[in-house]
Amino acid sequence: MSQHEADATTDRSTFVPPAAPCPLPAARPDQDSPFGVDLGVNMTTIDRYLGRSDVAYRDARMLHDPADFSATGGESELTSVLEGFKVAPYPYLGSIRDLPVPGVYDGPRLYDLTWDDTGAIASATPRYEESLAILEDVFPRDQAVFIACGAGAYAGMARDLLAFLGWDPSRLYNVGGVWGYAGAHAIDLTYGPEGDRRVAAWRVEGVALEFDRLHPVAGR
């Protein structure tokens, strides 16, 4: 039987065409969300948008955060991430504002921020000569960027910083908090016995910033 004949006898009713990527909506931060979580792409819908070549997936949490998120029902340890997400901690990128937990990180970062009376960023001053180049490497301008974190705060801060520095805001998505994710694409980063669970940081790709190897901006 020729290939043409074989094709002709195939039961077309059982043919399933390859799934096309779900069209990506423009970013729409929810104005009623305290962190500006996106209305279209969030922890309820994220599974539709995973595994895309036109998206850079980033998780803005630290592997071990000094802030006590247990005070608000969260976690200070990075115990899970979503498939395809690379860890790029916001506390290493810019100043942290109004985080209602004790112990907030206040160490080296790429930018010092100030805010106006509305809470919008008023200035972003680089601490290092490499600050902008690092952001452009970690958050490529030619892709949409999905940013997750624990509850949405760090992701919102990262989105605001990138938008202030000139990234296209319609392609920046605060996809919300992994603590509320109920889908099937989470990677468990814990190991060890109950009561002594530890974080397997080697299971996730992360951004390594060696601040002592960067070049401080004069006067910073």
Side-chain angles (χ1 to χ4, degrees), residues 151-187:
Y154 282 164
M157 293 177 198
R159 184 187 187 278
D160 289 347
L161 174 59
L162 295 174
F164 181 82
L165 293 174
W167 270 252
D168 180 353
S170 72
R171 296 173 58 126
L172 297 173
Y173 301 76
N174 175 356
V175 300
V178 176
W179 295 335
Y181 177 70
H185 297 278
I187 300 172

Side-chain angles (χ1 to χ4, degrees), residues 86-117:
K86 182 176 184 178
V87 174
Y90 174 76
Y92 298 155
L93 307 182
S95 309
I96 297 172
R97 179 178 183 269
D98 294 340
L99 201 60
V101 294
V104 174
Y105 175 86
D106 190 28
R109 55 187 175 267
L110 298 180
Y111 283 87
D112 287 331
L113 308 185
T114 63
W115 298 267
D116 63 23
D117 292 340

Side-chain angles (χ1 to χ4, degrees), residues 47-63:
D47 286 1
R48 304 176 196 168
Y49 302 101
L50 295 177
R52 300 174 63 108
S53 61
D54 59 345
V55 173
Y57 300 89
R58 302 292 181 259
D59 192 311
R61 292 174 291 171
M62 306 176 76
L63 293 176

Side-chain angles (χ1 to χ4, degrees), residues 3-220:
Q3 184 63 51
H4 176 75
E5 291 170 327
D7 290 344
T9 59
T10 300
D11 181 358
R12 298 299 182 184
S13 66
T14 63
F15 175 70
V16 180
C22 185
L24 191 60
R28 291 185 302 144
D30 184 353
Q31 301 304 313
D32 294 327
S33 164
F35 309 128
V37 174
D38 198 78
L39 285 165
V41 186
N42 48 56
M43 286 298 140
T44 301
T45 64
I46 187 66
D47 286 1
R48 304 176 196 168
Y49 302 101
L50 295 177
R52 300 174 63 108
S53 61
D54 59 345
V55 173
Y57 300 89
R58 302 292 181 259
D59 192 311
R61 292 174 291 171
M62 306 176 76
L63 293 176
H64 311 282
D65 200 310
D68 182 13
F69 287 107
S70 65
T72 58
E75 300 176 320
S76 295
E77 300 290 312
L78 189 70
T79 59
S80 70
V81 294
L82 298 190
E83 293 174 4
F85 277 74
K86 182 176 184 178
V87 174
Y90 174 76
Y92 298 155
L93 307 182
S95 309
I96 297 172
R97 179 178 183 269
D98 294 340
L99 201 60
V101 294
V104 174
Y105 175 86
D106 190 28
R109 55 187 175 267
L110 298 180
Y111 283 87
D112 287 331
L113 308 185
T114 63
W115 298 267
D116 63 23
D117 292 340
T118 71
I121 296 175
S123 68
T125 305
R127 285 186 163 208
Y128 301 94
E129 296 175 7
E130 299 88 350
S131 291
L132 183 59
I134 291 170
L135 287 187
E136 291 178 329
D137 282 345
V138 176
F139 302 95
R141 291 181 185 263
D142 61 351
Q143 291 179 280
V145 180
F146 287 8
I147 312 173
C149 63
Y154 282 164
M157 293 177 198
R159 184 187 187 278
D160 289 347
L161 174 59
L162 295 174
F164 181 82
L165 293 174
W167 270 252
D168 180 353
S170 72
R171 296 173 58 126
L172 297 173
Y173 301 76
N174 175 356
V175 300
V178 176
W179 295 335
Y181 177 70
H185 297 278
I187 300 172
D188 184 9
L189 301 180
T190 63
Y191 70 102
E194 290 294 333
D196 188 26
R197 300 295 283 172
R198 302 180 184 183
V199 175
W202 59 84
R203 293 181 187 166
V204 64
E205 184 180 3
V207 174
L209 286 180
E210 298 182 78
F211 287 97
D212 58 351
R213 291 181 176 270
L214 301 181
H215 297 84
V217 172
R220 302 303 298 169

